Amino acid sequence: MSQPENESGLPFQEKVVPELLKHRLVTPEEYLRIHKKTVENYQEYWESVAKELDWFKPWEKALDDSHPPFYKWFVGGELNASYLAVDRHANSWRRNKVAIIWEGEPWENGPKEVRKLTYLDLYREVNRAAYLLKEVYGLKKGDTIGIYLPMIPELPIFMLAAARLGVAFTVVFSGFSAQAVADRMNDADTKLLITADGGWRRGKVIPLKEIVDKALETATTVKNVLVVRRTGTEISMKPGRDAYLHDVMSKVPIKAYVEPERVKSEDPLYILYTSGTTGKPKGIIHDTGGYMTLLHNTMKLVFDIRDTDVFWCTADIGWVTGHSYIVFGPLQEGATEVMYEGALDFPEPDRWVSIIERHQVSILYTSPTAIRTFMKQGEQWIKKHDVSSVRLMHSVGEPINPEAWRWFHKLVGRGQVPFGSTWWMTETGGIMISHMPGGYLVPMKPGTNGPPLLGIETNVFDEEGKPMPEEQKGYLVITKPWPGMPLTINKDPERYVKVYWNKFPNVFYAGDYAIKDRDGYFWILGRADEVMKIAGHRIGTYELESALVQHPAIAEAAVVGVPDPVRGEVAEAFVILRSGVEPSAKLREEIVKFVRENFGPIAVFREIHFVSKLPKTRSGKIMRRVIKAVATNSPVGDVTTLEDEASVEEVKKAFQELK
Ligand code: PRX
């Protein structure tokens, strides 16, 4: 994972110019000249993009910035995200074009299920689902629903159906536990929760309905549960509360039509929860008009989407990448896309390559962790298949190391396909930084992210809020409002201001370390706060500490993120046991199992250490910085604020004992 360095100490500067799209190639200087104009007149620029969407009513003002940081884009405009993603195409020549090629996980000499939905099919299904929500469950604009589904077509269908009614939705990743479901339902006041009997993952069933039953013991706003039958698992149904989708749907007319609600540009489309440094996950609320405008721009510029393409984003819709680049982004463009239900390497490591070959995927959007997993499994799995349909690739979620970049570029990109690492986050709504930042391609540099997109202004600041000199590490910030930015944090506007807008006045603080190089390219180096990226999943150290102390044997816990060759980062925990409890290897295993069950399987530990004290400040705050230094073999630094210096030795000892 080490990055080669040049004499300036910066990561490697090799520039790669791909064969394909050479005609679109511009130098970084040329690009930055064009870029400068679009940020100087950013409102005008974004208006020119928004004009390409279909609005029911045009906006009166591009940006309402009268109450920063609560910006509102395209004020006075009315539109509907479901109409943009479905109706427009179903009423055009794309009517019979395939929208979604869905492939289920089960495999028997080939995929057992492949379902193709045309835009007309999608239109029918979305209308019928909207009819159900409206007529049977009485949902209307201003309400919120919860969705806890595996990667099956019902997931995008219900997201689009809710959007059609102006009903906000919150999707919970199907790998999360009952506690996470309950917290999110309570925070978002959801009335209806849509789930499935179970979901397939690596040939096993995740008992989703059982998890929901447990969650609803404490999620009191949910009055009804709608269950999709997916795995045929036996489940319990609570009369009056629960219903099978196929039962209620049988009463909905085949050609049901629900008029799309005229929602205001600044009306919420969805709430998506994401981890922070302290407390509960934050419910990021995205608007409708700004978000759809940003997605349109990024699909066009970064993915160069065309009607002949087959687009595949390998993320799960439970995360923002899936919201933006499986549901609203590609469908708004009328694209054909692949949606895959299960693990990329199930039942064999070449499942994902076989999907590329069988469905002729031309644009691939995946993650560094996936790439490093494929790398470990070996190139022979890729070589079994023809990947020549791929013409463009990007990765997302965490920094990509140059070795992984080169390996994937050579094997899947045949050494000639544009391949970038797009930087963005749940809060930004869509891609901010990329090697295809303006529909042009700038020369690629393995391991970097590229320049900001047209209309987007980013920078690297020092601790005082001054721009860092080029090639020096600082904090990544976004210095101009952009469409797709959050409206706020659900029920907590103060937290929204505090987390993102307080560190530096009037600029958005992303929480990442970054370097801007001489070409104006950004190198995002990782989180600057106490948030981990485990296999690209964003998890607060605090969240795992809370999960750990729920175990009856644990009195106190501290968690830090440490580098991992495949997952980018994993968790390392230091725990103090309750008095009378003896440390043992068995207990260690039990704790890992406990956290995976209570938090979710995305919690991956390198190790759990038993200690008798933790490094704390005199006011009792755990000094994770010190623990992290020990766990990563780096200098511990200033420890003058420590309450008890012996705690550092204790952590060191525990760490060395296990090595
Ligand atoms: O640390 C950055 C990292 O992922 C964080 C955002 O996580 P999340 O909200 O879960 O969204 C992930 C998918 C958009 C960022 O603060 N990150 C995301 N993309 C990259 C990245 N780090 C380096 N390179 C990237 N391409």
Side-chain angles (χ1 to χ4, degrees):
M1 289 266 300
S2 67
Q3 298 200 354
E5 293 188 347
N6 63 12
E7 65 287 356
S8 71
L10 251 191
F12 205 47
Q13 294 284 327
E14 167 197 11
K15 286 186 193 173
V16 182
V17 177
E19 280 305 312
L20 296 174
L21 284 185
K22 233 180 188 169
H23 59 289
R24 298 263 201 105
L25 195 70
V26 293
T27 63
E29 299 75 47
E30 277 173 300
Y31 173 71
L32 290 178
R33 244 191 336 266
I34 306 166
H35 174 259
K36 189 158 178 266
K37 283 196 203 128
T38 66
V39 288
E40 277 168 4
N41 304 302
Y42 71 103
Q43 297 191 25
E44 216 174 278
Y45 171 75
W46 286 113
E47 283 190 288
S48 74
V49 178
K51 274 186 193 138
E52 293 176 11
L53 270 56
D54 248 337
W55 295 75
F56 295 144
K57 183 169 165 270
W59 60 92
E60 284 144 25
K61 199 170 183 323
L63 178 68
D64 174 358
D65 53 3
S66 55
H67 299 288
F70 301 97
Y71 296 95
K72 288 180 187 162
W73 280 91
F74 310 119
V75 183
E78 289 176 0
L79 75 173
N80 184 289
S82 171
Y83 175 84
L84 291 176
V86 183
D87 298 41
R88 265 193 323 166
H89 312 305
N91 293 325
S92 78
W93 66 267
R94 293 198 181 97
R95 189 181 184 80
N96 297 314
K97 179 180 168 182
V98 174
I100 299 176
I101 306 171
W102 175 79
E103 182 162 317
E105 190 192 76
W107 178 275
E108 239 178 53
N109 303 319
K112 275 175 84 174
E113 302 147 287
V114 173
R115 217 178 129 189
K116 291 187 180 173
L117 285 109
T118 63
Y119 275 94
L120 181 60
D121 296 330
L122 193 62
Y123 174 81
R124 286 257 165 92
E125 297 293 332
V126 169
N127 269 290
R128 295 184 79 215
Y131 183 97
L132 190 71
L133 298 180
K134 186 177 176 193
E135 305 298 337
V136 179
Y137 291 98
L139 292 157
K140 54 184 187 319
K141 186 164 172 237
D143 291 334
T144 310
I145 62 166
I147 306 180
Y148 183 56
L149 282 173
M151 286 283 286
I152 54 177
E154 286 77 3
L155 175 50
I157 287 169
F158 273 101
M159 290 162 79
L160 291 162
R164 194 168 190 87
L165 302 174
V167 166
F169 55 84
T170 186
V171 177
V172 184
F173 171 56
S174 61
F176 272 135
S177 66
Q179 184 68 49
V181 177
D183 287 348
R184 286 155 175 74
M185 295 307 113
N186 282 329
D187 189 75
D189 293 317
T190 58
K191 296 187 168 167
L192 170 75
L193 176 54
I194 303 166
T195 190
D197 50 357
W200 289 113
R201 191 76 192 172
R202 294 193 181 281
K204 292 206 188 79
V205 172
I206 304 172
L208 297 177
K209 176 62 166 59
E210 201 183 302
I211 297 170
V212 163
D213 288 340
K214 198 164 154 220
L216 293 198
E217 288 169 13
T218 51
T220 47
T221 59
V222 178
K223 300 291 173 250
N224 290 100
V225 179
L226 199 48
V227 185
V228 181
R229 187 185 276 160
R230 169 68 191 131
T231 50
T233 312
E234 209 171 297
I235 53 173
S236 68
M237 298 288 277
K238 190 168 170 187
R241 188 192 72 179
D242 305 349
Y244 269 116
L245 177 67
H246 58 264
D247 282 342
V248 275
M249 204 50 126
S250 65
K251 294 171 201 108
V252 175
I254 300 276
K255 289 178 89 173
Y257 172 74
V258 177
E259 184 87 22
E261 184 79 25
R262 295 166 72 106
V263 305
K264 293 211 250 356
S265 174
E266 69 271 26
D267 278 339
L269 179 60
Y270 64 79
I271 308 176
L272 185 58
Y273 288 83
T274 189
S275 301
T277 46
T278 53
K280 283 189 310 182
K282 303 167 279 195
I284 300 295
I285 309 186
H286 279 296
D287 73 339
T288 306
Y291 180 71
M292 295 304 277
T293 301
L294 181 73
L295 294 189
H296 171 56
N297 211 37
T298 52
M299 286 304 302
K300 209 170 72 168
L301 303 185
V302 180
F303 292 110
D304 180 41
I305 191 79
R306 301 174 198 179
D307 271 308
T308 42
D309 279 315
V310 175
F311 181 84
W312 185 24
C313 165
T314 67
D316 191 291
I317 294 177
W319 308 105
V320 75
T321 308
H323 278 60
S324 297
Y325 297 106
I326 298 180
V327 186
F328 293 101
L331 296 176
Q332 174 170 235
E333 301 308 308
T336 296
E337 65 173 334
V338 170
M339 175 178 169
Y340 171 57
E341 181 184 31
L344 292 172
D345 53 356
F346 180 87
E348 297 282 357
D350 63 340
R351 177 65 178 268
W352 64 278
V353 214
S354 93
I355 290 176
I356 292 178
E357 184 176 30
R358 280 181 291 108
H359 303 304
Q360 293 289 288
V361 171
S362 58
I363 304 176
L364 182 67
Y365 196 27
T366 191
S367 73
T369 290
I371 294 171
R372 289 189 295 258
T373 308
F374 305 150
M375 223 171 141
K376 216 170 95 182
Q377 287 160 340
E379 61 180 52
Q380 71 279 15
W381 294 103
I382 299 180
K383 290 190 166 155
K384 276 176 75 175
H385 299 271
D386 176 4
V387 291
S388 61
S389 56
V390 176
R391 71 168 181 95
L392 182 61
M393 316 192 288
H394 287 293
S395 91
V396 62
E398 29 166 346
I400 185 156
N401 47 313
E403 297 91 317
W405 187 95
R406 282 198 201 90
W407 185 84
F408 206 65
H409 188 240
K410 181 171 135 235
L411 283 156
V412 183
R414 291 99 63 211
Q416 54 165 331
V417 161
F419 178 27
S421 170
T422 60
W423 177 85
W424 61 294
M425 57 200 296
T426 306
E427 292 83 344
T428 67
I431 297 165
M432 300 278 110
I433 299 179
S434 160
H435 283 98
M436 294 266 294
Y440 323 94
L441 176 73
V442 291
M444 298 179 293
K445 287 186 216 176
T448 177
N449 299 90
L453 263 67
L454 297 180
I456 302 289
E457 192 177 64
T458 52
N459 210 338
V460 177
F461 277 10
D462 66 11
E463 198 64 61
E464 270 72 55
K466 287 203 282 302
M468 264 289 179
E470 278 168 3
E471 321 256 327
Q472 283 188 37
K473 181 175 162 181
Y475 300 105
L476 180 67
V477 291
I478 306 176
T479 46
K480 291 240 158 74
W482 70 98
M485 64 197 306
L487 285 171
T488 185
I489 292 179
N490 193 40
K491 292 184 183 166
D492 208 348
E494 293 84 23
R495 192 175 176 199
Y496 178 60
V497 177
K498 193 169 153 240
V499 174
Y500 305 104
W501 300 92
N502 256 11
K503 190 168 172 76
F504 308 116
N506 284 324
V507 304
F508 178 89
Y509 168 67
D512 278 319
Y513 284 126
I515 286 173
K516 185 162 84 167
D517 72 13
R518 287 185 198 98
D519 287 332
Y521 286 32
F522 285 73
W523 300 72
I524 315 299
L525 306 171
R527 297 290 309 178
D529 55 11
E530 285 163 359
V531 168
M532 295 173 292
K533 275 281 175 164
I534 302 183
H537 300 140
R538 184 165 158 184
I539 306 175
T541 47
Y542 181 86
E543 286 177 281
L544 290 193
E545 289 166 4
S546 310
L548 282 164
V549 295
Q550 281 171 33
H551 190 282
I554 298 177
E556 269 190 88
V559 169
V560 293
V562 291
D564 179 84
V566 175
R567 292 184 173 91
E569 217 175 6
V570 289
E572 185 118 346
F574 295 81
V575 301
I576 302 179
L577 296 175
R578 286 187 189 280
S579 61
V581 182
E582 283 303 313
S584 69
K586 191 165 157 272
L587 179 61
R588 193 172 276 129
E589 265 169 43
E590 194 191 298
I591 293 170
V592 170
K593 194 162 157 259
F594 175 85
V595 175
R596 288 173 70 86
E597 274 167 15
N598 286 278
F599 181 82
I602 55 171
V604 181
F605 289 98
R606 180 169 77 176
E607 201 47 79
I608 305 223
H609 306 272
F610 299 118
V611 291
S612 62
K613 39 186 145 183
L614 288 168
K616 284 186 190 165
T617 60
R618 283 180 200 106
S619 56
K621 222 175 150 252
I622 294 175
M623 290 182 79
R624 293 193 193 82
R625 172 180 68 77
V626 172
I627 303 177
K628 185 158 178 154
V630 174
T632 52
N633 275 325
S634 3
V636 170
D638 180 17
V639 288
T640 48
T641 54
L642 264 185
E643 185 196 25
D644 177 0
E645 278 193 34
S647 59
V648 180
E649 289 313 310
E650 166 94 20
V651 168
K652 271 191 191 156
K653 207 171 100 226
F655 184 63
Q656 273 153 8
E657 268 167 18
L658 269 173
K659 273 214 307 191

